[in-house]
Every structure is written in C-alpha cells, then in structure tokens.
Amino acid sequence: MKTFFEVLEQLYKKVLLGATLENDSHDYFFYLYPAFSDQDCSTATSSDCSNTLDVQDKQEPSSLSLPTFSVAPVCLQRHSQMSSIQEIMLLQLTVIKVMITRILSVETEFHAKEKYRDIIKILLKSSDIESQLTCMFQNSEKLLSHMAAKCLALILYFQLKEKITLSNSWISFCQKNISEYSESNKVVYCLCILTFVIKEIFKDTSSQKTEILKQFLTPFDTLFEVFYNSLFSQHFENHQDASKLINSLICFLELLELLIASRIHLKLNFTCQRILFLKPSCVFDVITWPVQAFVKRKLIIFIKKCLLCKVGEDLCRGSVPAFMPPDNPLGVDLLALANAVLQAVDLGLLRTLSVHGKRSCFGGGEVLPGYEHAPGPDHVILRALSLLIIRSLEIKFQNCASANEMKVDYQRFMSELLTFLKPHLQPSLQLHNLCEWLSRIFIEQDDDMLEAAKASLGIYLKLTRGCEATESLTQEKEMWNHHTHENGYNPHCIFLFLLKNIGFDSTVLLDFLISSETCFLEYFVRYLKLLQKDWDNFFTICNYFDVTESKDNTHICCCSSSLVQDRNSNPTEASPLAVLGSHTNVHSGVSWASASASEPLNHGVTLKAHTKLQVNCLSTPGTSQSLVDYDSSDDSEEGSTSLCIVNSRLTSSHQEAMKKTQDTFGASGDKKELSPESQSRPPITEESNTPFSVYCDVAPNNTASEVGISYRTVKCFEELQGAIYRLQKKNLFPYNPTALLKLLKHIETIYNKNMTPS
C-alpha cells in the first residue's frame, strides 16, 4: 500500500499539470485538510498522534481512485517523526496553493478549473481552515509558517474573487494583532498577507478590482492609522531585539506603498491611504534612528516614490497628471509631504544624516578578503535625497505666487544640498558652473536623472514667469541669469551636460524617447519649447562651453594662467557666471569679459563673427551606428545624405576664432576688461580664485572636439529627427511623433537662420 504522503504527491503532480480529477470532490477533502494545529505540530507525542485525525468526523474515502490504504496514514503511525508530519503539512499546503493558482489561471482547462473550485469551496465550508493556518504562524519551522501565510493569502484572494464573505476568525486575528505594535511574528505575517492580497488585486485584469479592494480594505481602514502611530512612536534604543521592529517597519512600508498606489491608480478614498500625508513627520524621525543603512535607504526611496507618484509602479501602468491643481485632494497631500521634507532639511536632516557605511552587495553584505571596495558614500541615498529636495521644491513652487519668496527658498535649500553633496563628489564641483552637479550625481541612474532635470526645468519655468512679471530692467535680468548658474539650475547647462555625458549620441536620446521607464519625452518637449524662445541665451552658454574646452581635443580644460593671475590680483573682478549672465543677445557683439552689457569689444572676436565663422568650418562628427536596419542601400544613402548637410571642412579661420575667443577670457585681457565699471557687478568670492574647468570624457575623434557645442547639439537633434522619421515610416515608433519632429525641425531652422552670414 502506498502511504498518505505518496497519495498527496500524486495529487500534487496532477494539479500541477492542470489535469482533471475524476473522483468526487469530497474525497479529496480528506487529503487536503491540515490535520494538525500549531500546538499539535509543536508538542505532539506518540501517544496522541493516532487521535488527531478525527477532525469533524471525516473518514478516509474508499472510492478515491488514487492509491489508498486501509491503515492509518504514515503521519499518524506511532513511530512517526515530527519531520514526517511537517513534510506532509507542507505538501498539503502546496497542493492547496497550486490548486488555487490553477483556478485563477486562464490557461487551465474549464472542467479541471471547475473541479478545483468545487474542492476549495468544500474545504472552506467544511472547516475553519483560516484558523488552522493562522495557528501555524508561531510554528518553530519557518518554512511551514511561510507556506501557511502564502496559502492563507491565496485563500483570501480566492474568496474575494468568488464573492465569498471573508472569515470572521481571520478578520478578528488581524484586528487583534494590528491594533497596536508588538514584537510578535504574527504582526509581520498579517502585514505580509495583506500586502500579498493587494498585489494580487492589482494584477487582476477584470474591471471589478476596485470593488474587490474596497471590500478587502473596509474592515482594516481605521486599524492602519492606529498601527502607524504605534509603530513610528517606538524608541529604537529600548528594543532588545531590534530586528523584529525593523521587520515590521519594512513590511508596513511595502503595505503603505500599495495603499497609496491604490489611491492614485484605482481612485479609492480611504483614511489609511492618507496616513503618510497627514502625519509625515513621524517617518522622518526614523531616518535619525541608529539603524542599518538599508532601512534609511528604503525609507528615503519610499518618500521619493510618493512625491513622484511612482508608488506601486511595478504593478500599475496608469499615467499620473504632471500637475495637479491645489484643490485636488492628492495635490494637497503631496504639498503637505513636500513641506515636511523641506522642514526636515531646515531642521538639519542633511547635516545629521550619515551616508557612509558598508556598501550593499549582490547576495549579501559580506565581501571576500582582498575584494573590499574603497570606502565611500552610498550613492543611492545621495541620488534619492537630491531628487527628494528638488521635487519637493517643485511641488511647493507650483502652489506659490511670490517670485522673490521662491528665489530665496530655492537658494537656501540648494545651498544646503550642494554643501551636503560636495564632500562626496570626486573630483569636486568647480565654481564656474554648479549646474554640473545634477549630471554628476545621477550619472548612474537615468530615470532619476531625467526626473531631476524635469523638476529643475519646472522650477526654472515657474521662476522665469515670476521674474518676467516683476523684472524689466536689464540689470535685474542679468542678476536672474546669474542666480540660475549660481544655484545650479540653468536648464541649458543641465541639458548640455547631459548631452556631453552621452557623447552627443542621438541613439541614446532615441532610446530614452522610446523607453517607458523614464520621463524623457515630457522633459525633452518642455525643454525644446523653452529653447525656441531662449535661443540667444542657449547660444551664449554654448560658446562659453566652447571656450572652456582645451586645444588638445579633450574636454578637460582650464583657462590660461594669465586669467588666473588677473583674478588673483583683482578680487573685485566679475566672476565668469556674472559675465555669462550679462550676455543674452548674441547679435549685440558684446565682449565676454566686458563689465557692462553695452561696452563694445575691441581686442576680441564678437559672438556674431564667431557664429559666422562656424558656418564654413564645422566638421561632421564620426557617424554613429544606426539603430534602424534599412530595407535597401537607397534608404541608407538617403539617410546619410540628410544627416550630412553641413560642410565638413575644418579651416584654420575657425581655429583662429576659437583662439581669439579664449584670449578674450585669458591672455589678451586688456584694461577695459578690468575697468572700474566692472566693479559694479557682484564681486566674486575668495573661493573662486581656483581655475575653472569642465570634467568630461575624451572626445570620440579629433574633429568633433573642435566644432562648436551648438553645432554638435543641433547635429544630434538632426540625427535624432532622421532616426525618428525612419522608424515612423516603418510603423515602428511607439507613438505619434509629429509634434516632436516639428519642434526639432524648428530648432534646426533657428540654428540655420542664426548661422547664415548676412
């Protein structure tokens, strides 16, 4: 005779394959009901094992086609060991779990699915299986506890799908354990089960999932707030076993993320979904706890996701409005959370937070001897905190009307952030252009970098509108331009640093545009619209980038020693940022180092002349590899022709113009540059006496590094435009790019118009 275990094993194999079961559904109940409670599993002896099968007077089926036996199952034999009992229970739970999974699967054959459904319903009606499973949570065998929790979660989800009323014993069990924090493992299991069920509801493709989730959350709505207050009011130092507190915290954060996601994507409105926004300060207190770095990291990333409305992004694909009006309930809550973030920064969060410690490694935190990494900061936390502050400022400014207040706030918080970041950036940020901080911090994570760039651009546009309404004088506008560079949020600098980091490769931009994992499309369109209106300022900044590039075809550059000597001997001379801010009209022929916006250039080359020289002497960068396979060589020829319309001859006149422009900054600085008029501009600080330079990768070829940044940018746009057009022509582009192509074409037209000699 085969044993009870072997019968279960054959049943498992059949269900796993989705095979139809021939016997009466009640016959299978005998084999699936967990015969031992938690107490039995822990304390059962040989004298009482034989009496534990009499659960609800059920008898061994005689008609079951699976091999059976006339004697008691092996787990009930007097000589059985506890390991055998646990193995049978694990297999019982596994069969139940697989059976429910088969019921929920669309691939299961209809008759087999109906049979499985009937068996599970009989199991639910004939026994209080939920109570049996909750009793296993305290079992010393962790695998059994884990399987009991997973099995119970699936049973609950099955009940919700089948519109079966949830067991009162389960609801009471949860309410009792979640009503206040305790160090019992039962709390963690409750949280994990609730999280699992909500995840399954999110995965549901039916139109009823909002109603299903509403039914599930209703009994627990007020309990979550009680648990939130209890958990975050704990004193970490007072806990002997801090790991249990950390486990509860991690599990609750995961549950909280799903609750907030259900509010955004399923349009539900429960009190438990607003806990974080109503009492956000509690969460920031945890960051100051002496806990492991991964706990702080998870907490900061969680808050970042909330502010970006990316909670539950792995389960939800719905779009979220980029801007929500102040009267929108979610907009009000996001503003409250953003204010809490900024208040925490004001109270010294960045000054007290340590980002050093053992780095997390794949598969664990231990590293073999000889493979240790050099100590350094946790860049995940640095990126998350930076984006947290930028996004909080953007949300706050969306609801603020005073331009002066916004400028003061932005300067205060960015000063705090840059002070926090500078010690962790190697090589350190140079004072000539603090806008580089964004590309340096987020270089390893594209999605966060683009979110930060988008938020920074949003702040710039908001402040620009405020300044246009209040500032009309040229000097005030110059101060405004200086403010954008000084505080690291000039959108042109940020975008140019992004392009330099990717080597002006249009295929990378194309990848960003096609990808659904970043916000590049939204950011790119907003920036191109700005670029159309602010071309002069963009071109001025491009020329400044050109000046700071070295003559040895690398992007590592510095000014001549003459300028350094002049700056050291003239502490009141205008800083490059101030000079840059004063030149917003490229057609005025203004000197780069001039102290006044109206002073003519005597010993340099005008920007317009430099612009004219570029048209005849720009070199085409090396052809980048195309992402598109052409149908024929004709397509390839057409594509390459459209991307190479600019003359590629590099003449000596362009090199001479570049040299003269550099001399304007450095060796050829004349007395007019240091005239008393220049002292009316804001004096530079003592720290800015160091040479300023741009740190970037080596140029891909000798010619590309000698052409202007403005040309390389437009050339990149031109290649991108061609690639998008070819993909659209073959119906391979994922959305309609017509509006984007118009913007790119308009930028090309503006460039050609400004570059055409008059």
Side-chain angles (χ1 to χ4, degrees):
M1 283 294 181
K2 294 195 175 183
T3 65
F4 189 88
F5 185 87
E6 290 172 325
V7 174
L8 266 177
E9 197 169 37
Q10 287 197 11
L11 178 59
Y12 166 71
K13 290 177 180 178
K14 276 199 163 188
V15 176
L16 189 63
L17 294 173
T20 304
L21 303 178
E22 298 85 4
N23 291 85
D24 185 85
S25 300
H26 288 83
D27 294 341
Y28 299 99
F29 171 62
F30 174 83
Y31 291 94
L32 293 181
Y33 185 82
F36 291 88
S37 68
D38 179 66
Q39 182 180 0
D40 294 327
C41 290
S42 303
T43 62
T45 63
S46 59
S47 62
D48 57 19
C49 275
S50 60
N51 299 322
T52 54
L53 184 60
D54 299 326
V55 179
Q56 298 183 3
D57 300 323
K58 65 189 179 79
Q59 300 295 325
E60 178 184 352
S62 58
S63 61
L64 191 60
S65 61
L66 291 171
T68 59
F69 38 82
S70 57
V71 295
V74 68
C75 66
L76 304 179
Q77 297 293 338
R78 194 173 292 275
H79 63 273
S80 67
Q81 299 296 319
M82 292 308 301
S83 60
S84 300
I85 299 171
Q86 290 173 349
E87 286 176 8
I88 287 180
M89 296 184 71
L90 283 170
L91 188 52
Q92 285 177 319
L93 296 175
T94 303
V95 173
I96 294 172
K97 175 177 172 288
V98 174
M99 194 173 284
I100 296 176
T101 304
R102 274 292 177 184
I103 295 171
L104 299 173
S105 173
V106 295
E107 298 178 358
T108 309
E109 193 266 331
F110 175 76
H111 293 291
K113 183 181 293 189
E114 287 300 306
K115 191 72 171 182
Y116 300 158
R117 180 181 283 112
D118 194 34
I119 293 170
I120 296 299
K121 286 184 177 181
I122 291 172
L123 188 64
L124 292 172
K125 289 178 181 178
S126 305
S127 64
D128 190 7
I129 191 171
E130 293 94 338
S131 297
Q132 290 288 325
L133 294 174
T134 54
C135 288
M136 296 182 193
F137 291 170
Q138 290 295 85
N139 193 283
S140 57
E141 178 59 45
K142 298 300 180 186
L143 181 57
L144 187 59
S145 302
H146 176 72
M147 280 300 299
K150 291 191 72 174
C151 191
L152 178 56
L154 271 173
I155 287 175
L156 292 171
Y157 181 59
F158 172 79
Q159 290 175 316
L160 291 168
K161 286 281 290 182
E162 297 294 320
K163 295 181 169 46
I164 300 173
T165 305
L166 295 179
S167 166
N168 288 329
S169 62
W170 154 250
I171 294 176
S172 299
F173 176 81
C174 254
Q175 289 174 338
K176 178 182 176 182
N177 287 282
I178 298 181
S179 59
E180 62 179 42
Y181 170 77
S182 69
E183 294 190 2
S184 169
N185 287 333
K186 294 179 182 179
V187 176
V188 174
Y189 282 120
C190 285
L191 296 173
C192 289
I193 290 170
L194 291 167
T195 301
F196 178 87
V197 174
I198 296 175
K199 282 184 178 180
E200 290 302 310
I201 294 173
F202 267 115
K203 294 176 187 176
D204 193 351
T205 56
S206 71
S207 58
Q208 301 296 319
K209 61 182 179 181
T210 301
E211 289 301 317
I212 293 174
L213 184 57
K214 184 177 180 180
Q215 176 191 347
F216 183 64
L217 290 180
T218 300
F220 309 110
D221 186 23
T222 56
L223 284 178
F224 290 138
E225 185 175 3
V226 174
F227 184 76
Y228 180 92
N229 295 332
S230 177
L231 177 64
F232 288 106
S233 62
Q234 298 295 312
H235 295 284
F236 184 80
E237 299 82 359
N238 299 339
H239 285 264
Q240 294 181 348
D241 189 359
S243 62
K244 291 184 177 180
L245 176 61
I246 292 174
N247 286 340
S248 298
L249 177 63
I250 297 298
C251 291
F252 188 62
L253 285 179
E254 190 174 358
L255 175 61
L256 205 56
E257 179 176 348
L258 291 175
L259 291 174
I260 297 171
S262 67
R263 179 189 182 189
I264 296 172
H265 297 280
L266 300 183
K267 312 303 180 186
L268 286 175
N269 188 19
F270 282 98
T271 304
C272 61
Q273 298 169 314
R274 301 188 62 204
I275 305 172
L276 173 69
F277 304 103
L278 296 175
K279 300 177 181 179
S281 58
C282 301
V283 179
F284 290 100
D285 293 338
V286 179
I287 299 178
T288 62
W289 288 1
V291 294
Q292 295 96 321
F294 82 91
V295 180
K296 298 181 180 182
R297 186 187 304 119
K298 188 171 183 68
L299 198 61
I300 293 170
I301 291 175
F302 166 66
I303 300 171
K304 179 196 78 174
K305 284 183 176 181
C306 291
L307 287 174
L308 295 174
C309 292
K310 286 190 173 183
V311 282
E313 60 182 343
D314 296 334
L315 300 170
C316 315
R317 295 298 178 187
S319 60
V320 179
F323 173 75
M324 280 165 281
D327 57 344
N328 182 290
L330 182 58
V332 172
D333 286 348
L334 288 176
L335 178 60
L337 183 58
N339 285 331
V341 171
L342 299 177
Q343 183 180 9
V345 174
D346 260 340
L347 294 175
L349 174 65
L350 298 182
R351 294 189 293 272
T352 58
L353 180 64
S354 173
V355 294
H356 291 280
K358 184 185 291 187
R359 295 185 180 182
S360 298
C361 303
F362 181 76
E366 298 301 323
V367 182
L368 293 174
Y371 292 90
E372 296 88 352
H373 294 285
D378 187 333
H379 290 281
V380 175
I381 292 183
L382 290 181
R383 287 193 293 267
L385 275 173
S386 301
L387 183 51
L388 200 62
I389 293 173
I390 293 295
R391 174 61 177 157
S392 296
L393 286 168
E394 182 190 22
I395 293 173
K396 180 179 180 180
F397 292 168
Q398 285 173 352
N399 300 274
C400 184
S402 172
N404 288 332
E405 180 184 343
M406 289 188 286
K407 286 173 67 175
V408 170
D409 282 348
Y410 191 84
Q411 187 167 5
R412 183 172 86 255
F413 286 109
M414 279 306 299
S415 175
E416 188 92 14
L417 177 59
L418 291 175
T419 302
F420 171 72
L421 294 176
K422 280 179 182 178
H424 307 301
L425 292 176
Q426 297 300 327
S428 60
L429 282 175
Q430 301 299 307
L431 291 175
H432 82 284
N433 202 333
L434 296 178
C435 301
E436 190 182 8
W437 77 271
L438 194 146
S439 60
R440 292 273 298 279
I441 286 293
F442 295 99
I443 188 66
E444 295 180 359
Q445 194 164 349
D446 296 338
D447 54 345
D448 276 2
M449 175 174 66
L450 295 171
E451 287 287 356
K454 181 169 76 80
S456 180
L457 177 59
I459 291 172
Y460 175 87
L461 294 174
K462 177 70 175 180
L463 288 174
T464 301
R465 286 191 292 269
C467 291
E468 286 176 350
T470 58
E471 297 177 359
S472 57
L473 299 178
T474 303
Q475 186 176 6
E476 290 174 337
K477 291 182 178 179
E478 291 174 9
M479 292 178 64
W480 156 245
N481 281 331
H482 177 76
H483 186 272
T484 65
H485 293 280
E486 191 178 49
N487 294 285
Y489 70 107
N490 185 280
H492 302 305
C493 289
I494 289 173
F495 186 76
L496 289 174
F497 277 122
L498 167 64
L499 286 183
K500 291 183 75 174
N501 282 338
I502 64 173
F504 294 86
D505 188 348
S506 63
T507 61
V508 178
L509 298 185
L510 180 63
D511 191 30
F512 284 161
L513 285 173
I514 293 175
S515 172
S516 61
E517 297 177 357
T518 72
C519 62
F520 182 71
L521 174 61
E522 182 184 353
Y523 164 67
F524 194 42
V525 168
R526 294 181 73 184
Y527 177 72
L528 291 178
K529 289 180 179 179
L530 169 68
L531 186 56
Q532 289 180 125
K533 301 175 183 178
D534 200 28
W535 176 263
D536 290 348
N537 203 6
F538 167 78
F539 189 78
T540 303
I541 292 172
C542 284
N543 279 283
Y544 175 69
F545 272 70
D546 292 338
V547 168
T548 57
E549 287 194 355
S550 65
K551 296 179 182 179
D552 60 354
N553 298 329
T554 69
H555 291 172
I556 301 175
C557 57
C558 62
C559 287
S560 64
S561 58
S562 172
L563 174 60
V564 177
Q565 294 173 0
D566 289 342
R567 286 164 61 85
N568 289 337
S569 60
N570 296 275
T572 59
E573 182 189 359
S575 68
L577 290 178
V579 174
L580 181 61
S582 65
H583 299 285
T584 56
N585 186 353
V586 297
H587 300 291
S588 62
V590 182
S591 167
W592 277 68
S594 170
S596 170
S598 60
E599 183 169 315
L601 175 68
N602 294 332
H603 298 280
V605 59
T606 65
L607 296 183
K608 186 173 181 180
H610 179 61
T611 303
K612 290 179 180 179
L613 285 168
Q614 277 193 345
V615 118
N616 294 320
C617 52
L618 294 180
S619 171
T620 304
T623 305
S624 59
Q625 185 177 0
S626 175
L627 290 179
V628 182
D629 292 330
Y630 297 102
D631 291 335
S632 67
S633 59
D634 293 337
D635 288 343
S636 175
E637 181 66 21
E638 179 183 352
S640 60
T641 303
S642 65
L643 298 180
C644 302
I645 59 173
V646 182
N647 192 331
S648 62
R649 292 174 299 168
L650 183 64
T651 63
S652 58
S653 58
H654 176 258
Q655 298 178 3
E656 182 181 355
M658 291 293 292
K659 181 179 183 302
K660 289 184 178 181
T661 310
Q662 290 179 0
D663 290 341
T664 306
F665 268 96
S668 65
D670 61 354
K671 293 182 180 180
K672 280 187 176 293
E673 291 177 324
L674 306 177
S675 65
E677 294 175 6
S678 66
Q679 300 182 16
S680 63
R681 304 189 58 79
I684 59 171
T685 61
E686 196 170 314
E687 294 178 339
S688 62
N689 288 335
T690 57
F692 50 93
S693 61
V694 177
Y695 291 84
C696 289
D697 296 330
V698 176
N701 53 56
N702 291 341
T703 58
S705 64
E706 296 191 28
V707 302
I709 291 288
S710 60
Y711 165 75
R712 293 162 69 188
T713 301
V714 176
K715 181 69 175 177
C716 180
F717 289 171
E718 196 176 312
E719 293 173 355
L720 177 63
Q721 188 179 345
I724 294 173
Y725 175 75
R726 290 192 297 274
L727 287 173
Q728 185 190 25
K729 188 178 178 182
K730 299 181 181 183
N731 294 321
L732 295 175
F733 207 73
Y735 51 86
N736 186 357
T738 304
L740 177 62
L741 289 172
K742 286 182 179 178
L743 285 170
L744 290 170
K745 187 66 178 176
H746 193 199
I747 297 300
E748 181 185 342
T749 303
I750 294 174
Y751 176 80
N752 291 333
K753 180 181 178 181
N754 282 275
M755 302 297 277
T756 302
S758 56

